[in-house]
Amino acid sequence: MSCDQSILETLDSHGCLAKTLPELRNRIDQVCKFTKLDKLAIKKIVVKFTDELQTSLDPKGIRLTYTESVIDMLAEQGYDPKMGARPLARKIDELIRIPLSKKILFEGLRDCTVHAVMVEDRVDFKIETAVETPTPVVNEDGYIVLDQFKPKI
């Protein structure tokens, strides 16, 4: 980001400041010009947003992982040269958060790992549930009994 007084003077010479209300014009001290984000910065922003999504999934025991191609696609589709990274949150909502929410609601996902992968130019979710290992217990007769072999009453 570079702040330059000459930009303010340029705007004034083109009449841009003359068209604004005097109350607003008098509040402008300087104009800051931002440089374009590079691909690495955009990917870092994607990871920041996906980490926030992961934080909301932690209470349900859901772990969300992404392939590099998903991160690349989100960075490419969510970045707008004119708007910057602002549309990125909406794109993550559209492609990740909303479809995953539907899976959580309608499939009852809990305590699992969800892998976001690219399948034919769209994001797909592969669910990996944790396999519960039965807990061995010694019964009153001295036999080791696993929960899975207990009779259902």
Side-chain angles (χ1 to χ4, degrees), residues 17 20 38 45 59 62 67 87 91 101-102 114 117-118 122 128 131 143 145 148:
L17 291 179
T20 61
D38 62 345
I45 295 169
I62 298 173
T67 61
K91 189 54 76 172
S101 298
K102 289 178 181 178
V114 178
V117 296
M118 291 298 294
R122 67 178 181 83
E128 181 181 310
V131 178
Y143 293 109
V145 179
Q148 69 188 34

Side-chain angles (χ1 to χ4, degrees), residues 50-51 53-54 57-58 62-66 96-97 100 112-116 125:
T50 56
D51 286 347
L53 176 57
Q54 177 60 54
L57 294 172
D58 285 342
I62 298 173
R63 183 169 182 274
L64 187 57
T65 64
Y66 304 89
I96 305 289
R97 186 181 305 263
L100 185 59
C112 62
T113 301
V114 178
H115 304 284
F125 300 104

Side-chain angles (χ1 to χ4, degrees), residues 8-25:
L8 189 60
E9 292 165 0
T10 304
L11 288 173
D12 193 28
S13 68
H14 289 318
C16 294
L17 291 179
K19 295 176 186 174
T20 61
L21 295 173
E23 296 86 13
L24 176 63
R25 186 176 56 238

